Structure formats: structure tokens, C-alpha cells
Amino acid sequence: MRAFPLIARLLTVLALVASTTLVTSFAAADPSDPADTRAWPGGSGVPVASGLTLPWGVAQLPDESVLVTTRGGELLHATTSGTRTVTRIPDVEAAGEGGLLGLVVDPTNPRVVFAYRTTTRGNEVVRFDYDGTRVTNLTTIVGGIPAARTHNGGRLAFGPDGYLYVSTGDSGVPNRAQDPASLAGKILRVDRSGRAASGNPFGNRVWSLGHRNVQGMAWDSMGRMWASEFGANDWDELNLISPGGNYGWPIVEGVGYDARFVNPVHVWTPAEMSPSGLAIVNDTIIIGALRGQSIWTVPAKGGTPRRWLEGELGRVRTIVGARDGRVLVATSNGDGRDQVRLVSMDRFATPISRAYAQMGGPSGRLGTSVTGEYCGLARSGCFQQLRAGYLYWTSETGVQPVLGAIGDRWQELGWELGRPGYPTTGESCGLRDSGCVQSFTGASIFWSPGSGAWETWGAIGTTHRDFGAEGGQLRYPTGPEFCTIRDRGCFQRFQGGNVYYSPGNGTHPVWGAIFDAWAAQRWEDGPLGYPTSREFCTLKERGCFQRYEGGSIYWSPGTGAHPVRGSIRGIWADSGWENGRYGYPLGSESCRPGECTQRFQGGEIVVRW
């Protein structure tokens, strides 16, 4: 792309110039109007400055007032009393994408400000003093950065190491990005005088290379540097910056699968993104989209990008974290109606982030975050991992935590893709024997100190619930459901008995002495087969019985539990069951060729054939 007039002739000479100092004072437009120190109103969408033309750099002072640069060269100061022009920075060549661009306040001395400007000599970083009224001692600390009508970079940011970072574009000459000796297509790292910072990987000002046009830079809570970058035709990028890293331009755009280059963490098409400024608040990366006319958020700890405020603000140029936890957002629509607003982080809140805050956030039971939110799960679900567990969300279930032994069992069952599905409630504890239970779309998972964590579902789960769940006779499950028994049957063990299911007989619990008697008959594989009813305990002398495919089992305190089946059962029934002359059985039937005998309280029943 075509360079500015005179740039081609001057760049070679100016690259050798370390800095140029202009000890000059510029009068404010209205020195009688000092900075208003009152805080901005709370809420979201609070206007800070409006009626602007192409604002670019935004920096907040300790009193919460805001400095703004415009591409045309103005330095503005916005307070709650209004916005005034402090001065016009000299030598700004505002053509194409060039002009007065990035702005940052020295974090150790807020009276010192740094700005990035395009001049006929090239792009430069300048430093000046600002006392709230006047700009003085304007000094060029980095010169000789190639400039053009496009791809000028322009973002400034102080890193956690105390050094100043500068983003530069390739100035329309892509191969410059791969040249470590060129300042174009780089991220630079310098001290406050513009000299190369100690520890730079190439021994000069260059920190990373292979960039087309970095537009945003910020650091997360782990001290990692992130940068947003304009692509060419295919992919815009969010990159995790490492010293000496080569990000591939112009050889690679987007993910390159080339070991020489660092792949981006996320990519977007230019239509949905065209990124500009970047801020990080509570490990949420917030990126302004110019062509995409929206704001994107990306969890720094990993997660799914989300798009916000689409079409609400127009083209978003700059995003800066404000001192009160909100973000300052500058638009770049070029219609004389551009603005800087304070936007609450609530505008970027998700159901999971709201629930996490309500649960106490990092100091709550779930602890600090391990990842950001990941979405795109089954049924359009999302989740986030925390130190002590997870938060899962779908539109049908809402946000539910999963943690501890119940969470571990859910994981073993396949998370949301397993038979339990998504959680529909949180964990409910304080149950019998200090137990807990949690409901899922397809199951419940119970836990107690004596049983561990096990799921119930389907027909067996319904029967467990019908019989009082953990508070009933069955109490807690002690193992999983097994569906490998005959006739496609299933069973599950519980502390107080077992529950059996078969397609032809339904689901029934078996427990106590009757269960032991059935087990002695080889369970469902023996002559009694599957149970066909529950246990009934309304008989005389506090007796109980239960029906099976092949007979019944009767129990009383004085006789114990014994099966009765076949012809003997028929004769006993005709005599009035346990209420008749025979009373309760005293043992199982005993058979020999041609004859079976069973003893009862009132005598024997003998069947011969």
C-alpha cells in the first residue's frame, strides 16, 4: 500500500534516530476548568464524552476523569462537568488509518502520559506531562516506526513488569513483519525513555514479530499477555503473546499448522470481528469489533467466545478497564457522533457468571475459576470448571452446580452425555445418615458416608422413590444398576434390600428374610423366578408375603420365611392360606420321585403323582 509523502525518503534516516525532544508547552483550551474529581454515575451505558469524531486512545486518571485522543490530533479531557479540548498534539498526520492513536497514563506517575502519533516522518511514541490543565515537555521517545495509510498499529499499554508495550503494523509492507531489525509488524517493549527493555529476546526493542496489525494488548491475572490482531481477508486473531514469538504474518494468516509460528488462540472472520481495542477484567478478555459492530468476550482461562451489544454501538474502537470495575468503550463511526461510554460488566454477564457470583464467587464453596465458560454442549449447554466443582447450564435446567462425590460419579457416567444428562437441581444434603442427593434430567445420584455415590434411574429409580427413597426401607443405593440377568431383567442393590425389574413383571423391591429365602432359591434363575408384587405385611401374627412368577414367599416372626409354590400352594390356598388349618409354612417343600411334601404349622401337605 502507498506510503505517506516523504516517508519513503525519510524512514531510512529516521530509523537511526532514538528520540526527538520538544520542550514545549501547549495551552489548554480552557485552563479555568480543572478536572472534576467527582465519580461517574453508576450503571451501564453512562456517557463520558459524546459528539466526537473518531476517538482512538482512552486513558483514565486517578480522579476517574478520562483522557481521549482523536485521530485528527486532539487531546480531550472528559469529566462529569463536560469534555474540553486540552490541546492539539503537533505534527500529527491524520490520513487513512494514521493520526493520533494510542494513549496510556504512566501507572507510577499519572502526570506522565504516553501517546502514539503518525507523522510525515513515520509513526512515533511521545511522552508528555499533563497536570490537568496543560501539556508540557512533549518528547518523542520512539521514532522511525514505518507508517502508511493503513496498518499503523498504535496501541500502548504498560505491562505488569513496568515496561511500555507498543503495537506496530506492517505499514503495508508485509515482509517487514518477519524482519527482527524492523520496527514494523511487531510488539515493542521499551522503558520510559524509549530504550529497549532489559531481557528483550532480540537485543532491541522487539518483543514479538510476525504481526500484521496488532490493535489491542492486555494482561490476565496470571501475567499472560494477550493481543488482538487484524487479519487480511480470512482470519482475525486473538493471540497469547510470548517473548520472541513469531505469529506468522505474512506467511500464515490464522491457524497455520507450522511449527515455526505461534497459532492464535481464537480466530474470527473479518465480517464478524475486525478487532480493535482489548481489555481484561476479572480474566474476561473484552474485544471491540469494528466491522463486526459489537463486543466479544473470551475467557482468558479457556472457553467459548461470546458476542454482545451487536449493532448497539456501531464500530467499537477502544476498550479500557475503568477504575470502578466497568469498561470504557470508544466508538469509531466517523459521523461526528462518536462517543466514549462506561459500560458495566453486567452487560456481559451470563447465567453461569451470575449464579457463580450469587454463590459467593471465588470465596464461595466452589472456589476460584479453573476455566472460563465453554458452550456448544449437547442441548446448547454451557459449563465452567471451578476449583471445587462445575457449573452447568441449559435453557431448560438453568444453572446447577456439580461437585464432590456426586460430581465424581456423574463424571464416571459420562457427564451430560451420559444417561443422567444435565443436573436439574443443586446438591441437597442433610438427609438421613448425613447423606445428599442431586437430581438430573435422567437420574438421581445419592451419596452417604456408608454407601458412597450411586445413581438411580428408570423404573428402578421410580420404585426407590415410591418406597421413600433414602428415607424408606431401601435407604441408599450401594451399587449401580445391573441389566445382565435373564429375560432382559435388571436389578440394583440398596442398603435395605434389592430392586428387581423384568419387562413382563415390572419393578419390585425385595428385602429382609423374604429376600434371603428367595436368594436360597437362586433368585430369578430359580423356580420362583422374578417377583411380581411388593411385600405385603398385613397378615395375621404380623406376617408378610410376596408373590413371584412361580409361587410366593411367606414369613412370620415365629416361622421364618419359606416359599410355597405349585400344587402344594394350590391346596394351601384352598384351605385358607395362613388363616386356614395349616397356618404358615415351616420349611420349603421336599420332593422325591412321585411325591413332594411341605410342612406347615398345622401339619403337612403331600402331593403325589
Side-chain angles (χ1 to χ4, degrees), residues 422-442:
Y422 284 97
T424 57
T425 68
E427 185 179 83
S428 177
C429 294
L431 308 184
R432 178 180 187 172
D433 300 333
S434 302
C436 302
V437 65
Q438 184 165 8
S439 298
F440 297 79
T441 53

Side-chain angles (χ1 to χ4, degrees), residues 367-414:
T368 57
S369 61
V370 175
T371 70
E373 285 184 41
Y374 286 93
C375 295
L377 307 184
R379 295 166 62 182
S380 301
C382 301
F383 84 96
Q384 183 174 8
Q385 183 179 1
L386 294 310
R387 290 292 176 193
Y390 298 83
L391 288 171
Y392 273 77
W393 172 89
T394 71
S395 59
E396 295 90 356
T397 62
V399 180
Q400 307 297 344
V402 189
L403 65 161
I406 288 178
D408 293 341
R409 182 57 184 164
W410 185 57
Q411 176 182 348
E412 293 170 0
L413 293 169

Side-chain angles (χ1 to χ4, degrees), residues 5 8 15 19 36 67 70 105 187 197 203 206 223 266 311 345 382 390 529 569:
S19 64
D36 189 331
L67 296 178
T70 68
V105 173
I187 293 176
V206 174
H266 289 288
M345 289 296 292
C382 301
Y390 298 83
R569 181 176 181 272

Side-chain angles (χ1 to χ4, degrees), residues 315-359:
R315 293 163 57 87
V316 178
R317 168 64 67 185
T318 295
I319 299 182
V320 175
R323 292 177 177 270
D324 61 5
R326 292 179 286 183
V327 289
L328 288 155
V329 177
T331 65
S332 186
N333 297 306
D335 55 4
R337 294 181 294 174
D338 283 321
Q339 57 187 303
V340 178
R341 285 187 183 185
L342 275 166
V343 176
S344 170
M345 289 296 292
D346 289 343
R347 293 300 303 271
F348 314 120
T350 66
I352 285 180
S353 67
R354 291 191 186 97
Y356 179 50
Q358 291 170 358
M359 294 175 189

Side-chain angles (χ1 to χ4, degrees), residues 206-258:
V206 174
W207 185 244
S208 62
L209 72 163
H211 298 291
R212 183 173 182 266
N213 195 20
V214 169
Q215 291 289 287
M217 301 179 293
W219 288 259
D220 63 24
S221 66
M222 294 166 279
R224 301 179 301 172
M225 183 182 186
W226 297 83
S228 55
E229 182 165 352
F230 266 115
N233 301 311
D234 299 319
W235 300 111
D236 296 325
E237 300 176 357
L238 174 64
N239 286 299
L240 187 59
I241 303 300
S242 59
N246 188 330
Y247 291 81
W249 178 256
I251 302 165
V252 169
E253 180 183 1
V255 178
Y257 304 105
D258 188 321

Side-chain angles (χ1 to χ4, degrees), residues 284-300:
T284 296
I285 302 169
I286 310 164
I287 309 170
L290 289 165
R291 185 175 169 189
Q293 296 193 18
S294 54
I295 292 175
W296 286 82
T297 58
V298 181

Side-chain angles (χ1 to χ4, degrees), residues 483-496:
C483 293
T484 56
I485 54 180
R486 75 171 178 88
D487 299 336
R488 297 182 290 114
C490 302
F491 80 97
Q492 186 168 6
R493 298 185 180 95
F494 294 81
Q495 288 176 318

